[in-house]
Amino acid sequence: MSDAIVSIRNVTKAFPGGVTAVDNVSLDIAQNEFFALLGPSGCGKTTLRRMISGLETPTSGQIVIGGEDMAFTPPNKRPTNMVFQSYAVFPHMTVEQNVGYGLKVTGVATDEIRRRVGEALDMVKLTALAARKPDQMSGGQRQRVALARALVKRPKVLLLDEPLSALDAKLRDDMRMELTRLQETVGITFIIVTHDQDEALSMASRIAVMDKGAVQQVATPAELYEHPRSRFVADFIGKVNLIDARVHRQIGRKIDCELKGVGRMELASDGLVGGQVAVAVRPEKLKIAIAEPASAIRVQGRVRDVAYYGDTSHVVIEAADGLDLSVNVQNDTRLGGSGVERGQTVWVHWAPEDSIVLTE
Amino acid sequence: MENWKQNPRVFWTLGIPPSVWLLAFFIIPLGFLFVMSFSDKAIVDGQVSITGYDYLTGFTNYIRAFDPLYLGIMWKSVWISALATALCLLTAYPIAFGICFAKDKWKPLLLLLVVLPFWINLLIRTYALIAVFRTQGYLNKILGWVGLGPYEMLYNNFAVVFGLVYVYMPFMVLPLYATIERLDKSYLEASLDLGGSQFQTFMRVTVPLTMPGIVSGVILVFIPCLGSFLTPDLLGGANALMIGNVIERQFKAANDWPFGAALSFLLMYATFGALALRYLFSLRSKGVDV
Amino acid sequence: MAARLKPGQGPLDYGSRLWLRLLFAAIFFVLYAPIITLVAFSFNTDKRGVVWRGFTLDNYARAWNNASLIEALTNSLVIAVIATVFATVLGALTALLMWRFRFPLKGAYEGFMALPIVIPEICMGVALLLFFVNSGMMEFFVHMPWPLNLGNIIFAHVTFCFPFVAVVVRSRLVGFNRQLEEASKDLGASEWQTFWSIIVPFMKPGLIAGALLAFTLSLDDFVITFFTSGPETVTFPVKVYSLVRRGVSPEINAASTVLIVITVVATVLAMKLQAPPRADKG
């Protein structure tokens, strides 16, 4: 990609203890993108983030920011800024001083500092609190200070470390919308680093899923959810039923395979003949029927558990061969509920096109 | 914690022995000293008595303490202590900082290395310094090999300041280490990330945020420096007197106990002043010390 | 400041910066070189002690045969042992009192207990001198047979040691789970039985650390001893002081080395005992 603002090329980071936190990662992040680095803790996303902002240096590889290799440029010389997970709002400075800090240390004129700090505070709606000290503010307000402090620098890239994790549920929604709005207004590339799939799915335009120091898949949220490329991604993003399957033969773009506990069928895939694959089906794509349905894929089982969540119910059905299937049932009538009860024998069925064949 | 009235027998059993001891061997002696500071030597048959005193005669001893000669010595004690404290801070800060950023497995050993000299007898350490710095000492011997010296390095203000730094540096490292260790390193990262250079980060973020430790360390070093007696006595010789040496002279050679007592109290007031200052700082910096 | 970072080194990895390592080395050198030289030259054959002429233990033998030096060292050790016993008991009582009870003017009481720690040594020294002379204790103890003639010094040492012990023991007690005490009483133990079987064993590391601290403080003290000792009762630091005023000699090196070894061992022991139990050992 030629218009990439951040281009990570074959970056490896090995720590002295022998741990390879980031293993030969290549990644392009476009101008103006709302990008997310998503993965479980220890997947290397934090190390990658620290290398982009210059707090860590790679063992090998290039980190090109704005067309220049900055792998070994100190953080204070990079056009990147970060909103820390702990916010790291300086406790000995007022809000105004915090926001102006980055301009002051780089020698911006006092008048301009005042003007730009004013604008930035306006943007995050903190003008009224300009003279406050951080210890007199809530966590949400401190995060806005951190945000204004980074944005006022007009960086090419803004990194956000777990931006919603420390907020309570209500504030999360506000901040999510706020961040999306800000990103659209300021036109800066945002990179959020998170372990929380909701955070990434709801805000980012593109997501890189990382595991064990490597990038597993880079795609839009919908693509990741509906077309995961590996078991890891399918399992990490959302809930999923993973069914082991054996491939018998390839017929054009389809495979003839045997799903454990379900039966033999044809599914769209380029799977290898004789190979072991997994078939992933999202719980909301599964349907429950009392009478045997006409659907091509159907399996009979016994309801083992029903959990009621208000809008949906999660039903776990025990089929043959030790196969457990999770089904999300919409409670779309007030008194109907899920319509099944524990111990009942029911049919589970789904459309063949809702099956995702995973070879990795 | 329970109220003492719930178990007065245990309360008194625990409380009486240390309280009585402190009263008898500390508070009462200080009371004697206090009374003595307002007293004068008795005049018996027109002669100044050696052992007799007229008690509570007035403030003459305190007034005498403000004689230019003694004011000069007090002033010198203050600036020698201040200089020694500043040098302690300058050497201790990088040490404390370095230990905090060292690998975890090295930290205890490095701390032990800093603290250990403090446990070696003060006199022995001062003696070791004399052996290094005296005219026929090791340093002059080494300088002699390259054709320099010998220099007279002892018995001046420099030697006293060096001695005080040498002796009290560990006092400075410990509080500094404690605050730097507790400092959230993401503040430093944020400062670098926002464009601050290493130096700006240090001056504008690290130093202000570790101010409580700096104040503690400064006070902890300044107080014993101000009241020091042994170091100026052995390293300073006749021309580097500090207040402690003047007090000692009043009680030994000059045998003017009332004046010595007054000087002692002035020194204690200065100490309490320094402690009060530290307390004020701790109140002010409450918001910072996170 | 380097405009570029080195591979694998972050901007906050100060531990691997060369200038900091050099500074560390320099400061530790200045800190230890005099002491190491002192110890090394206690094994030197040269009498004037500046040039290394060869290894010998003669200085130790001479120090051993120097009756006044040995007497001073014995006095110091006797004073330290006795003062430690008293200071540990008084310190432990103070710590228990502060830990267990709420009482009026507790803050002020705490302040008074900390006074011997904060006031300049010389002030305490002269106050005690004045007190011992005026109360007749000086006259009384000076003419007693050894070791009772050390009485004044011991009183003085206990006074400045026990508040330190109290601090150490109290910090240990803070970690005590009061429910253990309640459980013991609930099971029928009396106040006294609970104290000896539950609280004292818990306090033990604090007591040992406090005692070792008192021991080193007492052994190290020069200023207060200097004022409270009579002409006949000389401790090791006071003796060294009078020798040092006359000049440097390898004998002092030898005797000092012995004292250094004693204090370093006591300190390292105290630190080991005081260190909080490591989480990974549980």
Side-chain angles (χ1 to χ4, degrees):
Chain A
M1 225 184 288
S2 58
D3 63 338
I5 187 83
V6 178
S7 183
I8 292 156
R9 295 175 190 163
N10 305 99
V11 166
T12 295
K13 171 75 184 179
F15 284 106
V19 180
T20 304
V22 173
D23 192 1
N24 197 18
V25 164
S26 292
L27 202 58
D28 277 334
I29 298 165
Q31 184 91 46
N32 236 333
E33 209 174 0
F34 200 134
F35 196 84
L37 282 174
L38 174 64
S41 59
C43 71
K45 61 183 192 301
T46 302
T47 308
L48 193 58
R49 180 205 85 210
R50 290 174 65 82
M51 287 193 288
I52 296 172
S53 57
L55 297 171
E56 211 86 68
T57 49
T59 316
S60 64
Q62 286 182 311
I63 295 173
V64 181
I65 303 171
E68 196 186 328
D69 181 10
M70 293 204 165
F72 299 110
T73 306
N76 49 326
K77 308 275 189 224
R78 295 192 190 204
T80 62
N81 284 114
M82 171 133 78
V83 177
F84 288 76
Q85 184 178 12
S86 64
Y87 314 139
V89 174
F90 303 126
H92 60 300
M93 299 180 192
T94 62
V95 169
E96 213 168 1
Q97 289 166 334
N98 260 290
V99 177
Y101 179 84
L103 301 175
K104 199 169 170 186
V105 290
T106 42
V108 176
T110 321
D111 285 349
E112 200 188 335
I113 295 181
R114 199 172 305 130
R115 190 176 56 76
R116 280 169 68 177
V117 168
E119 282 173 15
L121 288 178
D122 230 25
M123 197 158 59
V124 296
K125 300 173 192 127
L126 278 180
T127 315
L129 303 181
R132 286 259 185 108
K133 281 275 188 82
D135 58 347
Q136 306 161 323
M137 305 178 83
S138 69
Q141 287 168 332
R142 266 182 285 182
Q143 185 173 31
R144 283 158 191 274
V145 177
L147 200 56
R149 184 175 73 174
L151 285 174
V152 81
K153 296 272 296 174
R154 296 175 187 156
K156 288 182 179 155
V157 177
L158 181 73
L159 291 144
L160 299 112
D161 187 16
E162 312 265 354
L164 305 181
S165 67
L167 303 175
D168 57 45
K170 164 119 185 50
L171 272 174
R172 267 167 175 254
D173 279 340
D174 292 349
M175 192 37 102
R176 190 193 335 265
M177 284 188 276
E178 178 101 22
L179 284 175
T180 327
R181 177 184 68 85
L182 273 175
Q183 201 269 331
E184 280 160 14
T185 351
V186 296
I188 291 172
T189 307
F190 277 30
I191 303 178
I192 64 168
V193 179
T194 180
H195 71 277
D196 179 350
Q197 41 155 326
D198 290 341
E199 222 169 288
L201 290 174
S202 59
M203 288 194 285
S205 52
R206 232 154 45 96
I207 299 171
V209 181
M210 289 186 73
D211 184 39
K212 298 191 183 96
V215 172
Q216 301 293 321
Q217 188 172 359
V218 186
T220 63
E223 222 176 295
L224 276 183
Y225 190 77
E226 303 296 358
H227 302 282
R229 270 216 308 258
S230 63
R231 281 171 195 248
F232 175 80
V233 175
D235 201 26
F236 189 71
I237 311 273
K239 288 207 175 71
V240 74
N241 292 296
L242 280 173
I243 308 162
D244 290 327
R246 220 183 122 68
V247 182
H248 289 295
R249 61 200 167 100
Q250 182 93 35
I251 317 159
R253 305 297 307 271
K254 286 194 165 190
I255 52 168
D256 171 14
C257 58
E258 171 96 30
L259 268 64
K260 188 179 163 209
V262 182
R264 196 153 169 169
M265 64 195 66
E266 284 183 6
L267 293 171
S269 170
D270 305 323
L272 295 164
V273 177
Q276 276 290 337
V277 296
V279 172
V281 199
R282 299 288 180 193
E284 73 276 9
K285 309 281 197 290
L286 298 183
K287 304 277 180 292
I288 294 179
I290 306 297
E292 183 166 0
S295 184
I297 308 177
R298 55 184 190 274
V299 57
Q300 201 172 24
R302 205 171 54 84
V303 178
R304 199 179 59 202
D305 189 47
V306 182
Y308 179 74
Y309 287 95
D311 54 346
T312 58
S313 289
H314 294 183
V315 182
V316 179
I317 289 152
E318 213 175 75
D321 277 346
L323 175 70
D324 278 350
L325 291 170
S326 292
V327 185
N328 274 12
V329 181
Q330 284 292 328
N331 297 332
D332 40 16
T333 58
R334 184 161 158 250
L335 300 173
S338 56
V340 295
E341 53 194 48
R342 197 176 297 185
Q344 198 178 350
T345 303
V346 295
W347 287 89
V348 178
H349 61 108
W350 68 91
E353 61 270 25
D354 287 335
S355 312
I356 311 152
V357 179
L358 301 169
T359 50
E360 286 175 36
Chain B
M1 231 177 273
E2 60 186 295
N3 195 308
W4 73 276
K5 281 179 191 153
Q6 284 171 324
N7 220 333
R9 210 164 46 95
V10 178
F11 176 75
W12 293 118
T13 315
L14 294 175
I16 286 177
S19 306
V20 167
W21 189 287
L22 194 76
L23 188 72
F25 296 108
F26 188 70
I27 307 291
I28 291 177
L30 280 182
F32 272 66
L33 194 68
F34 190 71
V35 170
M36 184 59 94
S37 75
F38 292 100
S39 306
D40 266 312
K41 291 194 163 187
I43 310 286
V44 181
D45 306 330
Q47 293 264 312
V48 178
S49 161
I50 298 171
T51 49
Y53 295 95
D54 286 335
Y55 290 104
L56 295 174
T57 49
F59 290 90
T60 41
N61 297 309
Y62 288 96
I63 293 164
R64 200 175 138 210
F66 288 94
D67 180 285
L69 171 68
Y70 297 112
L71 270 185
I73 292 174
M74 282 184 222
W75 172 240
K76 192 162 125 193
S77 308
V78 169
W79 78 251
I80 284 188
S81 307
L83 183 62
T85 309
L87 289 174
C88 274
L89 182 61
L90 282 182
T91 44
Y93 207 103
I95 289 278
F97 199 76
I99 296 177
C100 287
F101 283 92
K103 287 201 182 69
D104 279 338
K105 61 173 177 178
W106 289 106
K107 281 182 189 179
L109 180 69
L110 288 171
L111 272 178
L112 183 71
L113 278 178
V114 170
V115 177
L116 203 55
F118 171 69
W119 292 105
I120 295 170
N121 195 309
L122 176 64
L123 196 67
I124 294 176
R125 279 185 292 162
T126 313
Y127 167 69
L129 280 187
I130 293 177
V132 171
F133 285 115
R134 71 198 168 113
T135 324
Q136 299 94 37
Y138 306 118
L139 191 56
N140 270 319
K141 199 85 199 166
I142 293 167
L143 287 174
W145 293 338
V146 290
L148 291 169
Y151 298 105
E152 178 70 87
M153 286 180 274
L154 287 178
Y155 315 122
N156 52 37
N157 293 337
F158 158 79
V160 176
V161 171
F162 187 89
L164 290 174
V165 173
Y166 183 73
V167 165
Y168 291 116
M169 213 267 286
F171 267 152
M172 188 69 96
V173 173
L174 293 180
L176 285 176
Y177 171 78
T179 36
I180 301 174
E181 183 72 19
R182 261 185 314 169
L183 174 71
D184 183 350
K185 305 298 178 288
S186 62
Y187 291 128
L188 313 191
E189 296 182 346
S191 168
L192 290 172
D193 182 68
L194 290 165
S197 65
Q198 293 275 2
F199 182 71
Q200 284 168 324
T201 300
F202 181 75
M203 294 308 289
R204 288 168 189 264
V205 179
T206 315
V207 169
L209 288 180
T210 51
M211 201 42 98
I214 296 176
V215 172
S216 279
V218 164
I219 303 279
L220 276 180
V221 171
F222 185 77
I223 289 177
C225 281
L226 193 63
S228 64
F229 154 70
L230 189 65
T231 313
D233 187 64
L234 288 178
L235 299 176
N239 46 13
L241 274 179
M242 285 175 70
I243 184 86
N245 307 96
V246 181
I247 295 175
E248 186 257 349
R249 271 185 207 184
Q250 306 313 315
F251 279 89
K252 296 252 166 172
N255 198 24
D256 188 350
W257 291 19
F259 183 52
L263 288 175
S264 300
F265 264 92
L266 288 176
L267 177 60
M268 271 190 262
Y269 295 143
T271 306
F272 293 143
L275 286 172
L277 228 88
R278 179 188 177 195
Y279 179 69
L280 281 180
F281 266 105
S282 76
L283 287 185
R284 262 193 48 198
S285 60
K286 271 216 169 113
V288 172
D289 196 0
V290 276
Chain C
M1 193 203 70
R4 289 180 75 75
L5 301 167
K6 290 190 199 118
Q9 191 193 65
L12 288 179
D13 288 342
Y14 299 112
S16 51
R17 294 289 168 87
L18 186 66
W19 65 268
L20 196 69
R21 288 184 175 192
L22 287 177
L23 193 70
F24 253 73
I27 291 175
F28 279 122
F29 175 77
V30 173
L31 220 48
Y32 280 95
I35 298 168
I36 292 169
T37 326
L38 180 145
V39 172
F41 277 79
S42 71
F43 300 106
N44 192 5
T45 43
D46 181 37
K47 280 214 173 58
R48 291 183 52 233
V50 189
V51 182
W52 182 260
R53 298 229 191 267
F55 181 86
T56 178
L57 289 173
D58 285 356
N59 297 316
Y60 287 86
R62 253 202 312 276
W64 183 250
N65 289 324
N66 182 334
S68 63
L69 204 58
I70 289 301
E71 190 198 323
L73 196 59
T74 320
N75 280 349
S76 271
L77 288 169
V78 167
I79 292 167
V81 168
I82 300 175
T84 299
V85 172
F86 278 89
T88 308
V89 172
L90 289 173
L93 291 177
T94 314
L96 283 165
L97 180 80
M98 298 296 213
W99 169 70
R100 176 152 174 189
F101 290 106
R102 216 171 38 232
F103 52 93
L105 294 177
K106 188 172 175 185
Y109 187 78
E110 218 173 331
F112 269 109
M113 278 294 167
L115 267 187
I117 298 177
V118 297
I119 75 159
E121 278 184 299
I122 190 156
C123 297
M124 192 159 161
V126 298
L128 283 166
L129 167 65
L130 197 60
F131 172 71
F132 288 147
V133 168
N134 282 356
S135 66
M137 279 175 71
M138 190 65 102
E139 192 67 16
F140 178 76
F141 278 108
V142 161
H143 301 293
M144 297 286 263
W146 190 91
L148 288 175
N149 60 354
L150 304 171
N152 287 319
I153 305 176
I154 294 171
F155 280 116
H157 282 208
V158 171
T159 311
F160 72 75
C161 286
F162 91 84
F164 281 97
V165 178
V167 170
V168 173
V169 175
R170 197 177 168 194
S171 69
R172 168 75 191 172
L173 278 172
V174 166
F176 182 74
N177 180 359
R178 303 280 318 231
Q179 288 182 352
L180 293 177
E181 196 187 349
E182 283 159 20
S184 160
K185 284 184 190 158
D186 180 64
L187 293 168
S190 69
E191 183 86 45
W192 188 243
Q193 285 167 324
T194 303
F195 176 73
W196 281 108
S197 57
I198 307 289
I199 299 177
V200 170
F202 181 82
M203 279 194 339
K204 211 165 146 196
L207 286 175
I208 295 172
L212 286 166
L213 178 66
F215 184 75
T216 28
L217 283 174
S218 165
L219 211 54
D220 272 1
D221 180 72
F222 165 72
V223 175
I224 292 173
T225 316
F226 183 60
F227 286 101
T228 50
S229 61
E232 305 289 312
T233 48
V234 169
T235 67
F236 183 75
V238 174
K239 178 74 189 168
V240 173
Y241 175 78
S242 64
L243 290 175
V244 169
R245 300 224 72 171
R246 269 185 268 144
V248 174
S249 89
E251 258 172 83
I252 312 180
N253 287 31
S256 300
T257 303
V258 172
L259 202 64
I260 290 175
V261 170
I262 295 174
T263 38
V264 166
V265 167
T267 308
V268 172
L269 268 179
M271 284 189 166
K272 277 252 161 72
L273 291 165
Q274 229 182 332
R278 302 251 301 247
D280 55 8
K281 277 188 188 163

